[in-house]
Amino acid sequence: DGKVDVEMYQITETLSADVLEKMHAPPKQNIPEITADKLVEADGFVFGFPTRFGTAPAQVKAFFDSTGKLWAEGALAGKPVGLFFSTASQHGGQEATAFTFMPHFAHHGMIYVPLGYASEKMFDNSVPSGGSPWGSSTIAGPSGERQPLVQELAIAEIQGERFAAVAAKLAAPLKAGQQKDQPAQAQAQQTDQQTDQQAAQAQPEVPAKHQGSRMGRLAAKFKNLFSSN
């Protein structure tokens, strides 16, 4: 409906070509690979991945392990995030995959946007199908041979529309505030620079990689607080 712009990325593969060949893995699609800095540019994100033993694959975890700098800066706090997923079997851990990944979002301060029971198709039990309040899903089969059903695609479309609406609503006041708050932001940056200098003097044991970050500023504030008492 013109409210949002969508970009698609894939997460970097961590397995070797030999292992992928033995697994009979399909070739990678011609989609750019995501990097952590791209998350900062987006107003929100929907991650989709298959399950591995009821949780996210190692490739997804490795990608989130690369977001430590963003966590230290609070760069993703307040951004909406959603999930969709697939399993090999009907009871392969679809919902478990979603809620075992929640700590990653919680630690970043991101806002999880669930699907809820947004479609009556989610109550269709005539055939085995995916779709849960955690997010849209599908049953891919042991070798990925099963394609999403019509009702599964319809549920996924509803999730996309709802998530886009939420992301647009959350982003609109932030973008408007950025223009109004430029003087305040400049003052805040000056204050942060002063605090960073205090961190370097009062807390020399703070690693250099944390100086200038939220962690470094917190260390300086705690040091000054206890020193004054």
Side-chain angles (χ1 to χ4, degrees):
D1 57 5
K3 291 184 179 180
V4 297
D5 295 320
V6 178
E7 295 182 4
M8 184 180 298
Y9 296 91
Q10 61 181 332
I11 290 177
T12 302
E13 181 59 73
T14 58
L15 297 177
S16 66
D18 291 341
V19 172
L20 292 172
E21 183 179 358
K22 292 177 181 178
M23 293 173 60
H24 303 288
K28 287 288 184 181
Q29 298 184 33
N30 187 23
I31 299 174
E33 294 183 348
I34 187 71
T35 55
D37 58 290
K38 278 292 181 181
L39 299 180
V40 181
E41 300 175 7
D43 294 324
F45 358 83
V46 181
F47 292 96
F49 44 76
T51 184
R52 290 293 183 272
F53 303 106
T55 187
Q59 292 88 336
V60 179
K61 295 177 181 177
F63 171 71
F64 267 84
D65 284 346
S66 72
T67 63
K69 181 176 182 293
L70 303 184
W71 168 81
E73 296 171 347
L76 305 182
K79 290 180 179 285
V81 62
L83 285 177
F84 63 97
F85 28 84
S86 67
T87 54
S89 64
Q90 185 176 2
H91 304 290
Q94 294 195 0
E95 292 191 347
T97 300
F99 63 70
T100 54
F101 207 70
M102 289 300 109
H104 295 77
F105 303 146
H107 280 248
H108 273 291
M110 291 189 280
I111 303 171
Y112 186 69
V113 182
L115 172 61
Y117 283 94
S119 171
E120 61 181 13
K121 298 183 184 300
M122 298 171 69
F123 295 95
D124 181 3
N125 297 317
S126 61
V127 293
S129 63
S132 82
W134 292 90
S136 57
S137 60
T138 187
I139 303 170
S143 302
E145 72 282 358
R146 182 180 181 275
Q147 296 300 304
L149 302 176
V150 173
Q151 58 262 41
E152 292 174 334
L153 294 175
I155 293 170
E157 185 174 349
I158 291 174
Q159 180 181 9
E161 291 174 351
R162 289 199 166 197
F163 183 87
V166 171
K169 288 180 180 178
L170 290 176
L174 291 176
K175 291 181 178 180
Q178 288 175 356
Q179 298 178 352
K180 296 180 180 179
D181 296 340
Q182 287 180 353
Q185 290 174 355
Q187 179 63 37
Q189 290 176 354
Q190 182 178 1
T191 302
D192 287 343
Q193 291 173 357
Q194 294 174 350
T195 308
D196 292 340
Q197 294 175 356
Q198 295 174 358
Q201 297 173 358
Q203 189 77 356
E205 62 270 23
V206 174
K209 65 179 180 179
H210 293 320
Q211 294 180 7
S213 67
R214 180 174 56 178
M215 186 177 295
R217 291 192 290 272
L218 285 174
K221 290 180 180 178
F222 276 110
K223 180 69 175 181
N224 292 336
L225 174 64
F226 288 111
S227 297
S228 61
N229 291 335

